[in-house]
Amino acid sequence: MNIVRNIITNILMAFYQPFWFSLLACILFMFLVLYAREHGWKQSFGIWWNAFKKEKTFRKQFFFAWVVIMILFRTLLNRNIWTNPLVDVIGPWRVYSANGVLNTDIIENTIMMIPFSFCLFWCYDETFLKKHHLFYVSFQGLKYAFCFSLTIETLQLVLFLGTFQISDLFFNTLGGLIGGFLYFIYYQMIHRRK
């Protein structure tokens, strides 16, 4: 009986683990299929390539989408199921644990959100930023990273993919703040040249 239970569990886990990534990839692919059905595959790829070569905004949006998908893949889409996503709600707060083991989660969670907030403002500056003052831009980076991170943490809780941790939320938000700060520096450098 244990063998049958293990086989069924393994089959269901093999199906469930890639489920959300597969669903997202399928939806995006079907948009491409609908477009290619109307314009042809060769012309569709030609349109995409020409837009990528000629339109700066398109290249920025492509890079931002890539960053978001990388974050989602790391945090949600490629995760094992946890039986208890609330097993460690507080999470780690130090680089080294009490027994001296290196914990890179803090660094990874901070670094992961830096390109998110930077690219968000880089692509959609006029939409998300009304002013270009240091405190305002940094705070906006913090705010959007917090909202995005809270969404990810909540989905991890609801879907049992990973664990809900307050430390993840804090360090992701810190990364968003740093990304906003770096975008402010970038914006100042670009506009000084003009």
Side-chain angles (χ1 to χ4, degrees), residues 65-78:
W66 178 71
V67 166
V68 169
I69 290 170
M70 289 288 288
I71 291 170
L72 291 176
F73 194 77
R74 175 78 172 102
T75 58
L76 285 174
L77 301 173
N78 191 31

Side-chain angles (χ1 to χ4, degrees), residues 6 8 49 84 101 107 178:
N6 288 340
I8 291 171
W49 181 247
N84 183 5
V101 176
I107 299 165
I178 295 168

Side-chain angles (χ1 to χ4, degrees), residues 114-187:
I114 293 172
F116 170 77
S117 58
F118 182 92
C119 290
L120 176 70
F121 299 146
W122 185 50
C123 288
Y124 304 107
D125 182 294
E126 295 170 3
T127 305
F128 291 105
L129 297 176
K130 294 176 180 44
K131 303 180 271 188
H132 290 93
H133 301 292
L134 174 62
F135 178 75
Y136 178 78
V137 175
S138 299
F139 179 75
Q140 294 302 312
L142 179 143
K143 179 175 80 173
Y144 290 115
F146 174 80
C147 291
F148 187 50
S149 180
L150 183 61
T151 301
I152 289 170
E153 292 296 318
T154 304
L155 286 170
Q156 285 179 339
L157 179 64
V158 171
L159 300 173
F160 289 85
L161 297 171
T163 57
F164 182 93
Q165 293 183 327
I166 295 171
S167 64
D168 286 357
L169 189 59
F170 175 81
F171 289 108
N172 287 342
T173 304
L174 177 63
L177 176 76
I178 295 168
F181 175 75
L182 292 175
Y183 179 77
F184 171 78
I185 292 171
Y186 167 80
Y187 182 86

